[in-house]
Amino acid sequence: MTPDRPAAAPQADDERAERILAAAHDLLLAWGYKRVTVDEIARRARIGKGTVYLHWRTKETLFAELLRRDFHQRLGTVAAGIERDPSAALPSRLVREVFLQQRHTPIAEAVHTGDSEVLGALALTDNGLPVIQKLGFHALLVRLVDVWRTHGLVNLTASAADQICTIDAVMYGFITGGIAIPPDEVLPPDRRADLLGQTVGAALETPTAPTGATLRAAARDVLAALADTRHTLAEAR
């Protein structure tokens, strides 16, 4: 893949690129993808319009980079938590952290819900799939379920496909908040995160707590999966 930015940009170019991405981030959340123009991004970043195109050839590639970088950073935060505490690699703990990450990151929430008001044309890939699949979330989830099954952290009475479907559906429901509860009765994010973790734990995890050695081994494999996904995201830039 041909990069949109030079392979060895000097520090000044990197700083300008960060200003461009910061401006694009703020405008995306304030106006939505359809209304944002490269002219406005350049004005917000205090640079010329042509400089934006020196870093990214099109508006679409610029915003695609913004989504990739956001997902890359969030996976890094999840990984850091597992490095501190291997039990954070358990399904219930990991999905709880992913939920909180997207709740505190508006772009992540838009990606997870496929919010076309914010993402516009970015909400779907060229072949009509949700952009979260292009970012690699489904592939990562498949690999994580395989790790959990290999280390005996989830029940093997259900198939891997069933467990993937369960996690995906339950997470989406908690992220979108459902449709029956009035807005003023929606629980705060931390409580919803707790309920999500409890639901996934009850549905998937084994009743016997894993040993410390098992947790550490599983955590290593989960970290490897996260690192590979982050590497793929970085290579796509």
Side-chain angles (χ1 to χ4, degrees), residues 47-59:
I47 59 174
K49 178 180 177 180
T51 303
V52 177
Y53 289 119
L54 288 176
H55 292 271
W56 291 277
R57 295 190 184 96
T58 66
K59 170 185 163 182

Side-chain angles (χ1 to χ4, degrees):
M1 176 180 289
T2 303
D4 290 310
R5 294 167 57 188
Q11 183 177 359
D13 282 352
D14 286 344
E15 292 173 352
R16 280 195 297 268
E18 288 300 316
R19 293 212 310 271
I20 292 168
L21 286 167
H25 173 276
D26 292 344
L27 288 167
L28 180 65
L29 295 179
W31 295 358
Y33 178 79
K34 294 178 184 178
R35 293 181 56 198
V36 178
T37 65
V38 173
D39 293 271
E40 184 59 24
I41 293 171
R43 188 187 71 79
R44 290 283 185 103
R46 303 185 306 281
I47 59 174
K49 178 180 177 180
T51 303
V52 177
Y53 289 119
L54 288 176
H55 292 271
W56 291 277
R57 295 190 184 96
T58 66
K59 170 185 163 182
E60 182 177 359
T61 56
L62 165 57
F63 279 99
E65 166 69 1
L66 183 64
L67 299 186
R68 281 194 298 269
R69 188 176 75 156
D70 175 79
F71 192 38
H72 185 275
Q73 291 174 338
R74 286 189 292 117
L75 292 182
T77 301
V78 173
I82 295 171
E83 288 171 349
R84 291 190 298 270
D85 177 7
S87 67
L90 286 166
S92 56
R93 292 280 302 279
L94 193 147
V95 297
R96 182 186 188 280
E97 179 60 27
V98 170
F99 174 84
L100 288 176
Q101 285 292 317
Q102 63 82 31
R103 287 299 301 170
H104 297 310
T105 310
I107 285 181
E109 186 171 12
V111 168
H112 277 276
T113 59
D115 189 341
S116 59
E117 290 296 319
V118 173
L119 300 179
L122 298 174
L124 298 175
T125 63
D126 292 339
N127 54 358
L129 296 174
V131 67
I132 193 168
Q133 291 189 25
K134 184 177 182 180
L135 291 172
F137 187 81
H138 177 261
L140 174 60
L141 180 56
V142 170
R143 185 167 170 184
L144 290 175
V145 168
D146 181 64
V147 169
W148 293 327
R149 291 173 68 88
T150 297
H151 291 281
L153 300 184
V154 295
N155 292 305
L156 299 183
T157 52
S159 68
D162 285 352
Q163 291 171 335
I164 291 165
C165 179
T166 297
I167 294 171
D168 183 42
V170 171
M171 282 192 66
Y172 182 78
F174 272 87
I175 289 170
T176 57
I179 58 175
I181 300 175
D184 60 346
E185 295 182 21
V186 173
L187 296 174
D190 284 349
R191 182 56 184 151
R192 289 167 63 192
D194 289 341
L195 290 173
L196 170 60
Q198 292 168 18
T199 300
V200 169
L204 273 69
E205 292 178 8
T206 56
T208 303
T211 65
T214 296
L215 272 178
R216 289 190 293 274
R220 285 194 295 270
D221 287 348
V222 168
L223 286 170
L226 294 172
D228 288 347
T229 303
R230 296 184 80 214
H231 177 73
T232 300
L233 289 165
E235 287 293 304
R237 292 174 180 174

